[in-house]
Amino acid sequence: MTARPSATAIAHALLPHLKRRVSERPRFLLGLAGPPGAGKSDLANALAAVFERDSRAGTAVVVGMDGFHLH
């Protein structure tokens, strides 16, 4: 059985793609979809943290959608 990469490792791998996207269009939305427990929130938080470390504070915002359908 192979170990699943951490959300931080995935975020670091995606950083060049995000930076390229930001250079093309400074504002954009990135949506993550998957089944419950897949690690979407962990990945979103890791992406925001890695991106902000590489850029400036306030450039990435995570908007949680957990339970949005219950309101």
Side-chain angles (χ1 to χ4, degrees):
M1 175 186 266
T2 57
R4 191 168 114 181
S6 70
T8 303
I10 295 169
H12 280 288
L14 291 174
L15 183 61
H17 302 286
L18 287 175
K19 288 175 69 174
R20 185 170 46 251
R21 177 69 174 146
V22 167
S23 72
E24 296 167 359
R25 187 172 182 167
R27 289 186 175 192
F28 69 96
L29 296 174
L30 173 65
L32 301 175
K40 300 176 297 292
S41 295
D42 289 341
L43 180 56
N45 290 321
L47 280 169
V50 166
F51 189 78
E52 286 208 340
R53 257 185 255 130
D54 190 72
S55 301
R56 66 188 198 313
T59 56
V61 176
V62 176
V63 179
M65 296 295 291
D66 293 337
F68 76 94
H69 60 287
L70 300 176
H71 298 277

